[in-house]
Each structure stands twice: as C-alpha cells, then as structure tokens.
Amino acid sequence: MERVDYILSGGMVVTMNDRFDLFQNGAVAIRGEKIVAVGPAQDVLSSYESDEVIDCSGTYVLPGLVNAHTHVPMTLLPRFSPDLCLYLWPMGYCT
C-alpha cells in the first residue's frame, strides 16, 4: 500500500473532472499539497494508507481549488435598484 498524509473518506466526493464524477461514498488521498487519488472509498482505502483517516460521512468533499461560490444574487437583486452599476451595487446598496 502507498502511504499518504491524509485520507478523507465517506463523504460525497464532487469532482471537477471532464465527466464531473460524483462518488456517493468517496475518498480523497492527499500527500503533501497534492491530491494523489480520488474515487470510491473502497478503491482508495485498498490502495492507500495513512495515520490520519478523516471520516467525512454526511458531508460534501470538493477536492482541489474549486470556486463553489455564486454571484447569482448579485445579478438578480440589482433589479431593485436599477440606477446602480452591477459592480457598485454590492458596495453601495448592501450597507
């Protein structure tokens, strides 16, 4: 078995690969600052071992730097103040 620093296991792993794979009971193996494996928990746990296996049951795991926030409210709510520009609206109207 290959050693890694951390394994995040048991959560819903949401990937940003070409197929946008979702693993209901997934796992992520991490060594240093690199993600070395993502997949079904049984596959990752049978190939990698770590002293720190973190139980992520009941959570979502988003491996990598994925911009998961949204600007939808910023595009919809300015309609209440049409005299402000979109980029100024959050600063001038939300106070």
Side-chain angles (χ1 to χ4, degrees):
M1 289 182 91
E2 196 173 333
R3 295 235 8 114
V4 293
D5 297 326
Y6 303 96
I7 297 175
L8 308 176
S9 179
M12 165 73 85
V13 177
V14 180
T15 71
M16 294 302 293
N17 64 12
D18 293 338
R19 296 180 313 271
F20 297 105
D21 290 326
L22 297 173
F23 301 102
Q24 185 73 27
N25 181 22
V28 178
I30 303 166
R31 184 182 308 111
E33 296 179 1
K34 304 260 186 208
I35 296 170
V36 296
V38 176
Q42 66 271 16
D43 294 351
V44 174
L45 293 171
S46 66
S47 300
Y48 297 91
E49 64 181 354
S50 175
D51 292 334
E52 293 206 45
V53 178
I54 300 167
D55 181 12
C56 296
S57 299
T59 67
Y60 290 97
V61 179
L62 300 157
L65 277 174
V66 177
N67 184 352
H69 79 283
T70 180
H71 289 269
V72 171
M74 290 174 57
T75 61
L76 297 174
L77 295 177
R79 306 299 181 256
F80 294 109
S81 182
D83 57 324
L84 295 176
C85 297
L86 177 61
Y87 70 93
L88 291 176
W89 179 81
M91 295 178 286
Y93 198 70
C94 293
T95 57

